[in-house]
Amino acid sequence: MTRRYSPDQELRMLSLYQPWASLILYGTKGNETRSWHTSYRGWVAIHAGKQRLDGVGVHILLKARKLCPEVPERWFYDGKGFRQDGYPTGAIVALAWLEECQSMTQWSVVVSLLKLILIWRVKCSKAEEASLALLPHWWLVWGFVVSLTSCAVEIGSQSQLEQTVGDWKMGRFAWKLSDIQPLSQPMEAVGGWGLRWVKDETVKAAIAASLVARS
């Protein structure tokens, strides 16, 4: 069931540079990657910061375009080059539901680390006591793996496109977004750092009235 935002619901705002804000708007980017964790779950207004599309952004778009050919050409070009109007700045461009915030991991690195720990423990034990000494450590290792499984997302499981449009590194966090709802027109707003509450009822009502249903 698709969620629908209403002004009586809680709302926070997150600022991103272009083209990442519009990549969420267009449905090309399903995870926002951050260096910090949040326990918030709910609606987030996707705000495009004031920095205009630059060379780094164009490079990302070129790579994304090759990996996602079904994206309409008009979202990228206006006949003269990359269209700046497709990447508005200083405005809210969409709403999204923040479902999860998971730490990023690479199981190959985790497994290698566990192997090193076990090898080190065996070498530190007397030969005849090694198996007994390792018994409690196996429970610690198992608990560690279970905890990672429940709260982490494997970097390698992400599509090449998702990895291209995000910053996927161990220790960072993937904010999984769903029910992305574009605004009919970008709504001018002041951005800032962090995940900020939107409490102005007039603004929330204007956002709700501007939402466009996505098929």
Side-chain angles (χ1 to χ4, degrees):
M1 180 177 177
T2 302
R3 298 180 183 88
R4 186 72 180 173
Y5 173 73
S6 62
D8 60 325
Q9 294 176 294
E10 291 184 341
L11 178 64
R12 292 196 181 192
M13 182 164 61
L14 184 69
S15 293
L16 297 83
Y17 290 139
Q18 289 290 22
W20 293 274
S22 287
L23 286 172
I24 291 175
L25 160 68
Y26 296 148
T28 308
K29 179 178 170 67
N31 291 275
E32 168 57 6
T33 56
R34 294 269 154 167
S35 61
W36 46 282
H37 179 272
T38 179
S39 59
Y40 174 74
R41 302 292 182 271
W43 288 111
V44 176
I46 304 301
H47 175 267
K50 287 189 175 181
Q51 180 172 316
R52 292 174 64 83
L53 190 63
D54 60 12
V56 174
V58 168
H59 177 69
I60 294 294
L61 285 175
L62 287 171
K63 292 177 69 175
R65 178 63 179 162
K66 290 179 181 179
L67 295 169
C68 195
E70 67 272 17
V71 171
E73 191 81 6
R74 60 185 170 78
W75 286 0
F76 287 87
Y77 303 104
D78 61 4
K80 300 177 183 178
F82 278 94
R83 49 182 299 169
Q84 290 285 353
D85 64 338
Y87 303 90
T89 58
I92 296 170
V93 296
L95 255 60
W97 182 268
L98 176 54
E99 278 193 22
E100 294 182 76
C101 179
Q102 296 178 298
S103 60
M104 302 176 191
T105 189
Q106 289 179 287
W107 286 113
S108 59
V109 175
V110 173
V111 170
S112 297
L113 178 60
L114 293 179
K115 285 180 178 178
L116 287 174
I117 292 173
L118 293 177
I119 291 172
W120 172 81
R121 188 64 185 89
V122 169
K123 288 183 176 180
C124 289
S125 302
K126 294 180 181 179
E128 64 273 14
E129 297 177 353
S131 59
L132 183 62
L134 277 172
L135 184 59
H137 292 272
W138 277 112
W139 285 104
L140 289 174
V141 170
W142 176 249
F144 179 62
V145 171
V146 169
S147 65
L148 279 176
T149 303
S150 63
C151 66
V153 58
E154 163 63 28
I155 295 173
S157 68
Q158 302 302 308
S159 68
Q160 192 176 356
L161 174 62
E162 194 69 50
Q163 292 186 54
T164 296
V165 298
D167 187 1
W168 292 82
K169 297 186 182 74
M170 278 196 64
R172 291 177 60 81
F173 296 91
W175 296 19
K176 185 178 179 181
L177 304 173
S178 64
D179 297 307
I180 298 166
Q181 300 176 17
L183 271 64
S184 57
Q185 293 291 332
M187 181 177 295
E188 186 175 342
V190 178
W193 297 104
L195 195 56
R196 303 173 312 287
W197 287 106
V198 178
K199 295 185 176 181
D200 189 317
E201 296 300 326
T202 302
V203 172
K204 293 172 70 175
I207 290 173
S210 299
L211 292 175
V212 176
R214 173 165 280 168
S215 59

